């Protein structure tokens, strides 16, 4: 149980284009999903918290107009990197928190999306 | 401020035991998590502690002392596949995960 998928797993795009990344909880419902970014040899950096049916909460320093997050259902959240630039190249990972998890707010991670902007 | 400390890197021998420590200072506490992350992959959940004591799960055990703000992850009978980064994370008063920088564990034959 508690499987989270991400698509695509790897994407290469030209500078200035937009890229959409999907995160799905496959066998549970997730009212809250999280988007992280991880640069090589560094720890996870939380970008935003996505709540189903409401606007995402962005961390300080993360541009909400550049990283558009939509959480339209209990099993799907999307992150769109708009007008991508080479400095946006990174490993983007989503996680989902199981609604039925009770007191244990364990986050389960998707496999990640490696974005390379040329 | 909120802070999670864990060693940057550790080396151990295949078949041995290793203990990875984590100390934390957070605003509130709603549990401590350990995750394993292999290079180039996303983290996978290992353990969750919210009460003091030891939680054992196969070769892996996790210990928590809330009064000391301290946890450790114990790995027994080390295997080469255990070479990975181990991330300590604390759920604070807002149920937000505060992440440590991770401990890179290198296993030698």
């Amino acid at each position: 149980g508690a499987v989270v998928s991400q698509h695509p797993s790897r994407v290469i795009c030209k500078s200035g284009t937009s890229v959409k990344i999907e995160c799905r909880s496959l066998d549970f419902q997730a009212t809250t999903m999280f988007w992280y970014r991880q640069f090589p040899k560094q720890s996870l950096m939380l970008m935003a918290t996505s709540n189903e049916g409401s606007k995402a909460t962005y961390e300080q320093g993360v541009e909400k107009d550049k990283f558009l997050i939509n959480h339209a259902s209990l099993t799907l959240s999307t992150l769109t990197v708009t007008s991508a630039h080479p400095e946006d190249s990174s490993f983007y990972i989503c996680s989902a928190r199981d609604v039925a998890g009770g007191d244990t707010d364990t986050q389960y991670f998707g496999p990640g999306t490696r974005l390379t902007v040329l | 401020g909120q802070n999670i400390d864990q060693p940057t890197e550790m080396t151990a021998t295949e078949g041995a035991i290793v203990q990875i420590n984590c100390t934390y200072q957070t605003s509130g506490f709603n549990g401590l998590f350990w995750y394993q992350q292999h290079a180039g992959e996303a983290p996978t959940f290992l353990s969750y502690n919210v009460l003091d004591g030891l939680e054992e799960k196969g070769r892996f055990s996790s210990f928590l002392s809330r009064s000391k703000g301290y946890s450790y992850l114990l790995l027994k009978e080390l295997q080469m596949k255990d070479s990975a980064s181990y991330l300590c994370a604390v759920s604070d008063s807002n149920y937000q995960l505060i992440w440590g920088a991770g401990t890179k564990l290198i296993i030698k034959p």
Side-chain angles (χ1 to χ4, degrees):
Chain A
V3 178
V4 178
S5 71
Q6 247 180 275
H7 178 78
S9 59
R10 186 181 293 267
V11 58
I12 300 173
C13 69
K14 292 182 179 180
S15 185
T17 59
S18 294
V19 175
K20 179 186 282 189
I21 303 170
E22 292 186 350
C23 177
R24 293 180 186 272
S25 56
L26 298 185
D27 51 1
F28 66 99
Q29 293 184 326
T31 53
T32 306
M33 289 184 171
F34 304 86
W35 287 96
Y36 293 87
R37 180 166 53 183
Q38 187 175 35
F39 292 105
K41 299 183 180 180
Q42 294 186 26
S43 190
L44 300 168
M45 289 177 53
L46 179 65
M47 298 175 66
T49 302
S50 168
N51 294 298
E52 187 265 336
S54 64
K55 291 183 179 180
T57 303
Y58 290 81
E59 294 301 300
Q60 193 171 11
V62 178
E63 300 174 58
K64 61 180 181 181
D65 294 330
K66 181 171 181 62
F67 298 99
L68 301 178
I69 291 172
N70 184 278
H71 193 158
S73 77
L74 285 172
T75 58
L76 173 65
S77 176
T78 60
L79 168 68
T80 301
V81 183
T82 62
S83 186
H85 291 283
E87 57 265 31
D88 297 324
S89 298
S90 187
F91 191 41
Y92 291 87
I93 313 171
C94 75
S95 69
R97 192 155 67 194
D98 190 348
V99 170
D103 294 332
T104 62
D105 54 339
T106 303
Q107 292 183 27
Y108 296 95
F109 286 84
T113 297
R114 188 160 302 282
L115 171 64
T116 303
V117 185
L118 302 175
Chain B
Q2 309 206 90
N3 196 46
I4 310 284
D5 283 318
Q6 48 182 133
T8 304
E9 187 174 295
M10 298 182 71
T11 302
T13 305
E14 189 177 15
I17 299 172
V18 70
Q19 177 175 310
I20 303 174
N21 296 324
C22 171
T23 58
Y24 62 89
Q25 289 178 307
T26 57
S27 55
F29 179 83
N30 282 300
L32 184 143
F33 297 82
W34 283 97
Y35 285 85
Q36 180 191 59
Q37 186 178 25
H38 285 99
E41 298 180 12
T44 55
F45 170 73
L46 288 179
S47 68
Y48 170 76
N49 294 68
V50 67
L51 298 176
D52 290 349
L54 187 69
E55 295 276 345
E56 297 186 74
K57 199 185 285 186
R59 293 189 299 116
F60 293 4
S61 302
S62 57
F63 170 84
L64 174 68
S65 169
R66 289 171 296 171
S67 62
K68 295 182 179 178
Y70 167 71
S71 171
Y72 67 73
L73 179 69
L74 191 71
L75 293 77
K76 302 176 184 176
E77 300 169 19
L78 287 171
Q79 301 175 10
M80 297 303 293
K81 66 178 182 180
D82 297 329
S83 292
S85 285
Y86 291 86
L87 306 171
C88 172
V90 172
S91 179
D92 69 7
S93 57
N94 295 317
Y95 293 94
Q96 187 92 308
L97 277 188
I98 312 300
W99 292 89
T103 299
K104 182 179 180 181
L105 178 62
I106 299 169
I107 309 296
K108 295 186 175 179

